[in-house]
Amino acid sequence: MDVRNDMLKRVKNRREGYSLDQAFYTDPEYFRLDLDLIWYRDWLFVGHDCEVARAGSFFTVQVGDYPVVILRDSDGQIRAFHNSCRHRGSRVCTEHRGSSARLVCPYHQWTYDLDGSLLYARQMAEDFDKSQFSLKPVACESVAGYIFICLAEKPAEFAPFAQLMQPYFAPHRLTEAKVAFESTIIEKGNWKLVWENNRECYHCAGNHPELCKTYPEAPTVTGVAGGDEDPDLTEHWTRLEAGGLPSRFRMHESGQFRACRTPLIGDAVSYTISGRPAVQERLSAEVSQERIGALLLFHYPTTWNHVLGDHAVTFRVLPISATETAVTTKWLVNKDAVEGVDYDLDTLTHVWMQTNDQDRRIVEENAFGIKSPAYEPGPYSELHEGGVMQFVDWYCRSVETRLTEGGKSLRSVA
Amino acid sequence: MTVKPDLAAGLALPFASTAPWKGSSARLEVIAVIDETADVKTFVFRPEGGGWFSYKPGQFVTLELPVPGGPVWRTYTLSSTPTRPFSASVTVKAQAGSIGTRWMFDTLVPGMTLTASGPAGHFSHWNHLAERYLFLSAGSGITPMMSMLRAMADTAPASDVAFLTCGRTPGDLLFRDELEMLARQMPNLTLGLMVERKSAADRWHGLTGRIDMARLKFLVRDYRQREIFCCGPEPFMAGVRLMLEDAGFDMRHYHEESFGAPSKAQTQPQTKVQTQSQAQATSAEATSEAKTVTDDATAGRVPSQVQGAAPTAAPPAQDGTAPAGYAGDGMQLQFSRSDVTTTCAPGTTLLEAARAAAVRIPAACEAGMCGTCKVKKTAGDVAMEHNGGITDEEIGDGYVLACCARPLGPVTLEV
């Protein structure tokens, strides 16, 4: 049976509140469809403004089959291009990150300006029209220090996300921060398993001793119920918003993104074993209130985030195959903070390095078990796993809508 | 584009009511674009909002050219004369691979404005007043000479000037009609036009070949009694220097607009950023695109016995000092990884020198654009005129583009 119809049938017939059929987590053809339907269509978080601080700074990212380069041009604008030379397709930027006055293809030195235009191609025919061979642009937006790209030819509106997250994040000045440390781990599990694990803290007590010293396990904090019933949360929001920091739980109607400021346990102000700040210098001079907790953000399918008073931890999810996912974590601190003076790298990264590794193990065990022919979808905890259900609902709704776009019968187009 | 009414009407605000153009604060407005030859144009400017120009004939300006991808700065000698102060002009040649000048050719039309700085430079007969002058030029090296000659025609038409200029063909000689007209108006102007070869399209009765002592003596018997000004591609000037030195000429009376290898005393390694700080610029720093052009336009016209040979003495820099590291045999270059040491003539690019020494530096555009020839410089100073192929940060880290960097003294490259 055609895989699109197969997926559509399984999405339509799925049991609400239950995990998905095995194919969603293991099947390479389903993975291809995930790329086509989700990853090549939605806005994807790729990195931070401060990673391309100067004109010519760039970093590269691989999304499915698409190599992309993100850079800052000489006007200060952040741009993204398909990282494929218009000559014979070679990757132009081969480094993970770097700085270059121009983008020069290493194969035949075709030279592109930072705006993507082809400046120079050696010894081409007299009538060769360089203007026809600029690097192909990729839609690129930056908001409050976060860079997003979209591979779709007609990207969805970015404004709704920017409008929701900007007031929460702008005060933290991540545009001017610096990445103190970055780690990328490969989790041997489908990207949706990585997300499902992230969207609940049901597993925290048994797996994350370090994180649980500071991060509350309450489902109201991690989930998507809104938290209005939780007096700790509402008190936290009222106090911070009185001081000018947007904090209340807000989620877009699509369910694709939400922002919310959550308290940490007791007097903790940072994700350290002691709960004390990991960085002496505050992340942003604009945010001077004490005990602001963690500003949480998720944006499906690429990022979840925790912004604290002294640092921020940001996460990027990128799919590699049906059963492999890359998770990149970045620790952002005030750009003037000095390692070894204002912060100790081990103290800064310890909790989330441990937590990430624990999560990796959990996801891999989960993936391992799902491969069993005996696996069948199981029920989520309504109390603890509302966030997971919301994620799976978003996924299924997106996939179903896009599989049935234009009202065409899938059978007729298959 | 519609022409502004005051442009069309030829209005200029009265001299007394306006101030002279200040390069740092007022923009220039294009009022005319004149075709000089097939690949040379003159761009005429006035100060935006009115005003007049005050400069010495022979000085240059630096134009900020807003090419796509970010501005570039190009330095051009003014071909106009300050004795006609309501406008100023530059005469430039576009060469293959040019960015800035090509942009001017393709884009600039009357009514457009540019940011510019200047005028600056010391290459002017006003700084070396004499009873008799000899102007020697090749290619677009004629522009400062033209500025000086026009000033003389307006202020001292009896000036004794021998004006020798060289072009590839008759059609490449700039300002030929005007020079012949000035020769009728200035009783003591001796005109010597010389071409490398005749062309079928243009009548030619003048000299052909390259400047040498025989031709110089034929045209200007009393050259020894003259204050000599020379401008053109580096091989041309090197040839002239050698010729004059061999003849025992007193080089204190020789002045050149030296673009290829300015002495260290005059020029710091030139980058795009430093080019902006025009206030400190000297004429020797005016390593301009237009002047680079003359290298191409006239290369190979220098007498063969001179071309490629290193001069036997330091190039006579305008402040009289020899460039550091210049020791008669040329600039010393060390390629540390290859374990090769060589010397090259002043004005040679690092890439040319590396090739001559069989040291391999990957290169592609050879116009300072693609950055393929980026190499680490571990010692020494260079003058570099790139086209955006290297970042300021990389320059700060000691990298140079070998294709467009010329040694100012002994240089060590990590290659």
Side-chain angles (χ1 to χ4, degrees), chain B residues 122-123 256-259 261-270 280-286 315-324 383 408:
Chain B
H122 301 295
F123 187 73
E256 68 179 27
E257 183 76 306
S258 71
F259 311 123
S263 79
K264 193 181 176 189
Q266 293 164 321
T267 309
Q268 294 305 307
Q270 194 164 5
Q280 288 86 43
T282 69
S283 62
E285 275 184 270
Q318 280 136 25
D319 62 359
T321 56
L408 296 170

Side-chain angles (χ1 to χ4, degrees), chain A residues 11 28 35 48 54 65 122 124 233 239 266 298 335 378 387 407:
Chain A
V11 164
L35 290 180
H48 297 286
R54 287 190 201 85
D65 291 333
R122 191 156 41 107
M124 294 296 287
L233 266 179
R239 175 170 62 84
F298 70 63
K335 70 176 188 325

Side-chain angles (χ1 to χ4, degrees), chain B residues 226-353:
Chain B
R226 291 176 181 267
E227 200 76 17
I228 301 180
F229 288 80
C230 182
C231 185
E234 178 55 33
F236 169 80
M237 293 196 294
V240 168
R241 280 197 304 268
L242 193 67
M243 176 179 80
L244 292 172
E245 282 158 5
D246 278 355
F249 183 79
D250 181 353
M251 295 303 277
R252 285 175 300 180
H253 296 287
Y254 172 86
H255 314 280
E256 68 179 27
E257 183 76 306
S258 71
F259 311 123
S263 79
K264 193 181 176 189
Q266 293 164 321
T267 309
Q268 294 305 307
Q270 194 164 5
T271 69
K272 201 159 121 177
V273 169
Q274 283 165 319
T275 315
Q276 294 172 71
S277 57
Q278 193 56 50
Q280 288 86 43
T282 69
S283 62
E285 275 184 270
T287 312
S288 80
E289 189 162 323
K291 290 152 190 169
T292 313
V293 169
T294 61
D295 285 341
D296 290 345
T298 55
R301 195 164 25 72
V302 177
S304 56
Q305 72 271 21
V306 173
Q307 193 176 19
T312 52
Q318 280 136 25
D319 62 359
T321 56
Y326 184 79
D329 294 331
M331 304 289 185
Q332 193 175 77
L333 284 184
Q334 199 181 334
F335 303 99
S336 55
R337 281 206 188 127
S338 314
D339 199 20
V340 169
T341 301
T342 185
T343 55
C344 69
T348 311
T349 65
L350 298 177
L351 184 62
E352 290 163 351

Side-chain angles (χ1 to χ4, degrees), chain B residues 39-402:
Chain B
D39 51 5
V40 176
K41 287 181 194 286
T42 294
F43 297 89
V44 188
F45 301 95
R46 69 173 185 182
E48 190 179 35
W52 48 280
F53 291 97
S54 174
Y55 57 100
K56 293 177 182 176
Q59 286 195 303
F60 57 85
V61 292
T62 301
L63 304 181
E64 180 182 328
L65 305 175
V67 301
V72 297
W73 287 266
R74 293 289 181 267
T75 302
Y76 299 106
T77 308
L78 291 166
S79 52
S80 53
T81 166
T83 55
R84 296 169 215 167
F86 287 112
S87 66
S89 60
V90 297
T91 302
V92 301
K93 177 171 180 172
Q95 72 178 39
S98 143
I99 305 232
T101 306
R102 174 49 57 193
W103 179 88
M104 290 175 72
F105 269 53
D106 294 345
T107 317
L108 275 189
V109 291
M112 290 178 68
T113 60
L114 285 181
T115 298
S117 60
H122 301 295
F123 187 73
S124 173
H125 75 286
W126 286 9
N127 291 335
H128 305 279
L129 294 176
E131 285 183 18
R132 281 180 273 186
Y133 298 97
L134 168 57
F135 293 170
L136 278 168
S137 64
S140 43
I142 195 174
T143 52
M145 312 300 180
M146 206 58 206
S147 180
M148 291 191 278
L149 187 67
R150 285 166 167 168
M152 288 174 179
D154 285 354
T155 60
S159 298
D160 189 339
V161 192
F163 193 108
L164 265 56
T165 189
C166 311
R168 193 190 296 124
T169 70
D172 292 316
L173 284 173
L174 289 169
F175 308 119
R176 188 174 160 192
D177 293 343
E178 183 178 351
L179 285 170
E180 283 165 356
M181 183 189 76
L182 288 173
R184 290 196 299 277
Q185 296 171 354
M186 297 176 70
N188 299 312
L189 170 61
T190 306
L191 205 52
L193 305 181
M194 208 180 295
V195 298
E196 192 178 335
R197 59 172 196 273
K198 297 178 185 182
S199 62
D202 304 285
R203 68 193 154 80
W204 184 249
H205 309 295
L207 288 180
T208 54
R210 296 162 176 169
I211 185 79
D212 58 11
M213 191 44 78
R215 289 179 173 86
L216 180 64
K217 278 185 180 165
F218 172 75
L219 291 163
V220 196
R221 279 187 66 82
D222 59 350
Y223 75 92
R224 285 176 183 281
Q225 278 77 53
R226 291 176 181 267
E227 200 76 17
I228 301 180
F229 288 80
C230 182
C231 185
E234 178 55 33
F236 169 80
M237 293 196 294
V240 168
R241 280 197 304 268
L242 193 67
M243 176 179 80
L244 292 172
E245 282 158 5
D246 278 355
F249 183 79
D250 181 353
M251 295 303 277
R252 285 175 300 180
H253 296 287
Y254 172 86
H255 314 280
E256 68 179 27
E257 183 76 306
S258 71
F259 311 123
S263 79
K264 193 181 176 189
Q266 293 164 321
T267 309
Q268 294 305 307
Q270 194 164 5
T271 69
K272 201 159 121 177
V273 169
Q274 283 165 319
T275 315
Q276 294 172 71
S277 57
Q278 193 56 50
Q280 288 86 43
T282 69
S283 62
E285 275 184 270
T287 312
S288 80
E289 189 162 323
K291 290 152 190 169
T292 313
V293 169
T294 61
D295 285 341
D296 290 345
T298 55
R301 195 164 25 72
V302 177
S304 56
Q305 72 271 21
V306 173
Q307 193 176 19
T312 52
Q318 280 136 25
D319 62 359
T321 56
Y326 184 79
D329 294 331
M331 304 289 185
Q332 193 175 77
L333 284 184
Q334 199 181 334
F335 303 99
S336 55
R337 281 206 188 127
S338 314
D339 199 20
V340 169
T341 301
T342 185
T343 55
C344 69
T348 311
T349 65
L350 298 177
L351 184 62
E352 290 163 351
R355 282 177 177 156
V359 172
R360 179 96 182 107
I361 298 177
C365 75
E366 298 189 33
M369 195 160 60
C370 74
T372 305
C373 62
K374 189 166 62 197
V375 288
K376 181 84 178 273
K377 173 174 67 64
T378 52
D381 289 325
V382 299
M384 180 164 65
E385 180 75 2
H386 64 82
N387 274 310
I390 187 167
T391 63
D392 294 335
E393 205 176 11
E394 288 166 334
I395 294 169
D397 289 343
Y399 288 92
V400 297
L401 298 184

Side-chain angles (χ1 to χ4, degrees), chain A residues 358-370:
Chain A
Q358 292 149 1
D359 280 328
R360 177 190 59 76
R361 210 174 56 234
I362 291 164
V363 167
E364 290 181 353
E365 286 302 331
N366 193 7
F368 212 173
I370 286 176

